[in-house]
Amino acid sequence: MSAQPDLLYSGTENDLRAAVRSLLTDRADTPALLARVESGDPYDTSLWDTLAAGIGAAGLLIPEKLGGQGAGHREAAVVLEELGRAVTPAPYLTGSVVATEMLLALDTQAPEVADLLEALATGHRVAVPALPLTTAPDDAPPAGGPVNAVADAVRADVLLVPRPDGLYAVEAAEVTLTPQTPLDLTRPLATVAPLGEDTPGTRIADAPTARAAVRRGLLAGAGLLASEQLGLAEWCLEESVRHTRERHQFNRPVGSFQALKHRMAQLWVEIVNARAAARAAADALATGSPDTPLAVALAQAYCSQVAVHAAEECVQLHGGIGMTWEHPAHLALKRAKADSLAFGTPGRHRQSLATLADLPAPG
Amino acid sequence: MTDAAELRDRTRALLRAHPPATTDRTDFLRARFDAGLAWVHYPPGLGGLGAPRSLQSVVDGELAAAAAPDNDPRRIGIGLGMAAPTLLAHGSDEVKQRFLRPLWVGEEVWCQLFSEPGAGSDLAALSTRAVRDGADWVVNGQKVWTSSAHVARWAILIARTDPDVPKHQGLTYFICDMSHPGVEVRPLRQITGEAEFNEVFLTDVRIPDAHRLGGTGDGWRVAQTTLMNERVSIGGARLPREGGMIGPVATAWRERPELRTHDLHQRLLALWVEAEVARLTGERLRQQLVAGEPGPEGSGMKLQFARLNQEISGLEVELLGEEGLLYDDWTLCRPELVDFTGREAGYRYLRSKGNSIEGGTSEVLLNIIAERVLRLPAEPRTDKDVAWKDLTR
């Protein structure tokens, strides 16, 4: 590794965080989120408009000449930290990161690519990749037929469909979408199937370009997912600390027992680590570092487990209330567990590291 | 304010006046101290220039480029890291003038007389007594886990001066002369076979009142200066990738494919991830300090450094198979320097057991993080308002 990554937050990044947090605090509080989740349509369209166009978050990765903000992965990572904290249902990671990054890997002079990017930059349209959420950066995309576990497909206007002969942009109206019942209610999943052979969509890349674009999109998705996991873990720890300071049993706050406080201190150490790992991945993506695949695999191998650990501890440290539907801990737990499968499990990323760090398997 | 350009000029002037190639090492170090280039953030006259601490690297870079001798900081770590900041913060002018130069130059080694057989994590419960006798104090007691005591000229010492008040209030902080005939140093053999530490028995040791640091009964507050600096110094070194305990095991894995198993592979990868993430956390901490935004993140560094050292060295012993059953040398020796990754795998495994005990046990550090960083309520205590003499021992 040549230069050290910049692991801090810039002033601009802190301002962006403040804007997103303020929006989510006002408009996406827990009762509102629970009500929407139960309605079967968790997305808040007006919230998306403000986040995407008002704050400009949807176009952070898109260059200004294509209608975006011309910012980068470090800024998008900060947005994801906040979306993770609030467990907000929004097609940000799938659309504004993975699909956007895939399109940016194509010929952005081509009108069909440029027009789509311009529409994505303002959030007026949403594109998501027609890939199972579990697809890791090193995985080959499905070769055709119905695709299960496509995240945010029900919220998409356009699907980016990899086929053996290239990448296609297909209007949502031209596919059959069958919603699935997801473990994580805040990130809806659906099966995407071709409507018929006469509606293939628009071919926007040949096969080699498509493969590179899918990999680049998934690498950015995996790397920035770490920031979502960081934000989620932070929220879980803060709520656990808040609860155990207030909750009294045996005539004292339960947070005064070492059996509990040591677990929260341990989580804090993990979160401090997760921040360094997530920032390193975001910075590597932003600077196009040759170390990016390693930084991303490292962040995923680490941060996935921290988010799951934090959410599981959050449920346990809340006692009975943590098991109730009314308390939001379960939303975080379900998101954290689903996130640990997204873009490859920690084990899958450790397997990548065996190659990247030259620690080969036996035999 | 002294800036980088001025420091560079002063360093070059020092090198011109005292060319390292033809100057005695001690003379050069003394001249460097007198030029204010020892620790630039210290005050003028005490080895510094009152400059920002971050500018030390300018001086160090110039001196390294000129192949100038250094003061071998690892040999005098307790003096530099713990005694010096305490002397600076709490010593009289006479004390600072007398002690700081030979301390920094390395002519006088320092050790720390804090822990006792009955006072480890509960340091404030210590029993070593100091009784006033004219212009002196007379000290009796036993200290333990004292590294460098057998080579030290001076010690920082905490002793009880008032047993009738609660434990934190009856302590006083002293400079102790290790050459006094009442000081007896005995090696304390550890599980590694070596004696890196000592037991120190103090019998009617006389300390002039001028060698008291801070007020009588103010020792606990003074000790905080020392302990804060200890925790900063343990676990804070900048490392390249695979620079710590993971390095030898990763190398063995690459060079000796016959040792590889699937189980060890999974565990090695998991530990490699943790070690690399911990390294990035250390890097982030340094970037925060450079940017003038220190956070509480450092509190966790020693904690995870201890656990990782233990788990990684344990894996290494297992990886080595038959060789893992061997040990390099059980001969009792008294090393002046400690290198946690030095020697062989068995030594690393055993020595790292101390990492979660020395400088604050991992359990105490978790309490500190929980109570000072997360602001969780403290456990109810039974020792705060009771006179020390009435505590259970």
Side-chain angles (χ1 to χ4, degrees):
Chain A
M1 194 164 54
S2 44
Q4 292 289 346
D6 175 1
L7 302 174
L8 305 180
Y9 297 103
S10 71
T12 317
E13 287 160 15
N14 285 329
D15 292 346
L16 177 63
R17 175 197 305 289
V20 177
R21 186 174 296 189
S22 159
L23 171 69
L24 297 178
T25 308
D26 288 351
R27 305 259 293 274
D29 61 359
T30 299
L33 179 56
L34 274 170
R36 278 202 313 279
V37 161
E38 286 185 274
S39 77
D41 176 16
Y43 301 106
D44 177 340
T45 310
S46 78
L47 176 76
W48 173 253
D49 290 343
T50 310
L51 177 71
I55 293 176
L60 285 173
L61 297 183
I62 300 174
E64 285 175 276
K65 65 179 191 308
L66 292 167
Q69 305 295 319
H73 301 82
R74 296 175 52 92
E75 292 79 0
V78 169
V79 173
L80 279 162
E81 280 185 34
E82 294 306 309
L83 293 172
R85 275 184 78 89
V87 207
T88 308
Y92 193 82
L93 184 62
T94 49
S96 305
V97 176
V98 181
T100 299
E101 191 80 18
M102 284 166 68
L103 291 168
L104 288 169
L106 310 182
D107 175 10
T108 55
Q109 306 283 318
E112 62 273 22
V113 175
D115 291 351
L116 186 50
L117 279 168
E118 204 167 317
L120 299 187
T122 55
H124 289 139
R125 303 200 84 198
V126 170
V128 305
L131 294 168
L133 184 59
T134 48
T135 316
D138 295 340
D139 288 341
V147 182
N148 291 324
V150 178
D152 296 322
V154 295
R155 178 68 181 78
D157 305 294
V158 179
L159 290 135
L160 302 184
V161 183
R163 298 211 182 100
D165 65 328
L167 186 65
Y168 288 75
V170 185
E171 291 294 317
E174 294 180 356
V175 298
T176 306
L177 283 178
T178 312
Q180 298 176 289
T181 303
L183 174 69
D184 171 15
L185 293 157
T186 64
R187 181 126 62 206
L189 302 175
T191 299
V192 177
L195 195 61
E197 293 197 355
D198 53 335
T199 54
T202 310
R203 183 166 177 262
I204 53 175
D206 61 21
T209 312
R211 270 194 298 279
V214 168
R215 178 173 163 73
R216 178 171 154 183
L218 292 171
L219 202 60
L224 297 193
L225 173 61
S227 291
E228 179 184 308
Q229 290 163 325
L230 165 64
L232 182 146
E234 272 192 300
W235 180 85
C236 289
L237 176 59
E238 283 170 24
E239 286 305 304
S240 300
V241 168
R242 185 210 309 274
H243 176 76
T244 56
R245 285 171 67 161
E246 290 166 1
R247 170 79 173 170
H248 279 65
Q249 294 282 274
F250 306 101
N251 196 36
R252 52 194 271 206
V254 294
S256 66
F257 286 98
Q258 290 189 9
L260 273 59
K261 72 167 56 153
H262 283 192
R263 291 165 65 160
M264 289 181 269
Q266 187 55 50
L267 265 185
W268 178 82
V269 172
E270 290 175 29
I271 288 168
V272 168
N273 286 337
R275 188 181 310 286
R279 282 274 91 187
D283 192 73
L285 286 160
T287 57
S289 161
D291 220 23
T292 303
L294 190 147
V296 168
L298 186 79
Q300 271 305 292
Y302 193 80
C303 298
S304 280
Q305 297 185 157
V306 173
V308 170
H309 185 209
E312 289 178 348
E313 289 289 70
C314 185
V315 170
Q316 175 66 22
L317 293 168
H318 277 78
I321 188 80
M323 272 306 284
T324 63
W325 187 267
E326 173 187 353
H327 192 278
H330 68 102
L331 296 175
L333 176 67
K334 292 162 187 172
R335 170 69 74 89
K337 191 66 185 173
D339 273 359
S340 75
L341 279 68
F343 307 119
T345 60
R348 180 62 209 263
H349 289 285
R350 284 196 295 272
Q351 195 183 318
S352 302
L353 286 168
T355 306
L356 294 165
D358 186 26
L359 297 167
Chain B
M1 184 68 82
T2 313
D3 63 13
E6 188 189 336
L7 284 176
R8 201 167 285 121
D9 289 347
R10 283 175 181 260
T11 309
R12 288 175 184 168
L14 170 76
L15 287 164
R16 274 194 304 276
H18 308 272
T22 55
T23 308
D24 172 73
R25 177 176 176 275
T26 303
D27 290 343
F28 181 84
L29 292 171
R30 286 176 179 161
R32 177 177 164 189
F33 187 95
D34 295 339
L37 299 169
W39 30 32
V40 297
H41 60 293
Y42 270 49
L46 296 173
L49 295 164
R53 190 172 189 162
S54 56
L55 292 180
Q56 184 67 42
S57 58
V58 174
V59 175
D60 293 349
E62 289 287 322
L63 291 173
D70 72 9
N71 60 347
D72 196 0
R74 296 199 330 138
R75 192 176 72 91
I76 53 172
I78 292 169
L80 293 174
M82 302 175 75
T86 313
L87 293 169
L88 181 68
H90 301 283
S92 63
D93 288 345
E94 292 73 18
V95 159
K96 287 186 266 198
Q97 288 294 342
R98 160 64 186 84
F99 290 107
L100 284 172
R101 191 168 93 153
L103 181 158
W104 185 87
V105 170
E107 295 165 287
E108 291 180 345
V109 174
W110 286 68
C111 68
Q112 179 216 49
L113 298 174
F114 281 19
S115 293
E116 297 183 4
S121 292
D122 187 9
L123 179 64
L126 60 85
S127 313
T128 294
R129 286 281 278 127
V131 178
R132 188 70 187 251
D133 181 28
D136 292 343
W137 294 83
V138 178
V139 180
N140 282 281
Q142 181 188 348
K143 296 288 179 175
V144 74
W145 301 121
T146 314
S147 42
S148 304
H150 53 298
V151 290
R153 177 67 182 80
W154 299 99
I156 43 177
L157 164 74
I158 319 178
R160 185 158 307 280
T161 44
D162 186 354
D164 297 321
V165 293
K167 62 183 182 181
H168 291 93
Q169 297 167 28
L171 299 170
T172 303
Y173 200 115
F174 299 98
I175 297 166
C176 177
D177 181 351
M178 292 296 285
S179 69
H180 189 281
V183 176
E184 186 197 349
V185 177
R186 297 184 200 160
L188 179 62
R189 197 175 191 192
Q190 302 149 234
I191 61 175
T192 54
E194 65 189 344
E196 176 193 330
F197 301 101
N198 301 278
E199 296 178 288
V200 179
F201 296 83
L202 305 167
T203 308
D204 293 333
V205 175
R206 295 194 82 86
I207 297 178
D209 188 52
H211 285 179
R212 171 171 47 79
L213 294 178
T216 302
D218 215 11
W220 187 251
R221 190 176 65 82
V222 178
Q224 295 311 305
T225 313
T226 313
L227 297 173
M228 291 299 285
N229 280 287
E230 178 176 31
R231 292 201 180 111
V232 169
S233 60
I234 295 183
R238 182 174 200 164
L239 293 174
R241 185 174 287 165
E242 294 187 4
M245 200 67 97
I246 196 74
V249 65
T251 302
W253 184 269
R254 289 180 192 120
E255 291 176 353
R256 303 179 60 182
E258 75 281 7
L259 298 175
R260 298 174 192 162
T261 70
H262 289 287
D263 166 62
L264 289 166
H265 191 227
Q266 293 307 314
R267 289 158 58 199
L268 173 64
L269 289 171
L271 287 170
W272 193 92
V273 166
E274 288 202 78
E276 175 61 5
V277 169
R279 189 186 71 84
L280 287 171
T281 299
E283 178 56 30
R284 182 161 199 276
L285 187 63
R286 272 179 288 279
Q287 291 183 8
Q288 286 178 292
L289 291 173
V290 169
E293 305 163 2
E297 286 82 353
S299 315
M301 286 307 290
K302 180 188 173 290
L303 196 62
Q304 61 181 342
F305 154 87
R307 184 182 57 80
L308 280 174
N309 280 356
Q310 293 169 355
E311 292 189 17
I312 293 167
S313 58
L315 181 83
E316 189 185 7
V317 169
E318 212 177 317
L319 170 69
L320 292 176
E322 279 175 35
E323 280 170 53
L325 294 175
L326 307 178
Y327 194 75
D328 56 0
D329 187 5
W330 290 116
T331 310
L332 172 65
C333 61
R334 302 178 83 179
E336 264 193 59
L337 292 178
V338 187
D339 180 356
F340 297 152
T341 58
R343 296 180 55 176
E344 293 183 359
Y347 173 83
R348 285 197 274 276
Y349 172 69
L350 295 173
R351 181 60 186 82
S352 67
K353 294 299 170 206
N355 293 162
S356 53
I357 301 168
E358 57 204 342
T361 65
S362 291
E363 290 72 19
V364 165
L365 294 180
L366 286 169
N367 278 349
I368 289 173
I369 292 169
E371 293 174 17
R372 299 197 194 156
V373 180
L374 298 178
R375 302 272 164 209
L376 282 161
E379 295 229 32
R381 293 183 63 160
T382 58
D383 59 347
K384 279 213 149 163
D385 304 316
V386 181
W388 176 81
K389 64 179 166 48
D390 298 325
L391 295 175
T392 314
R393 266 186 293 280

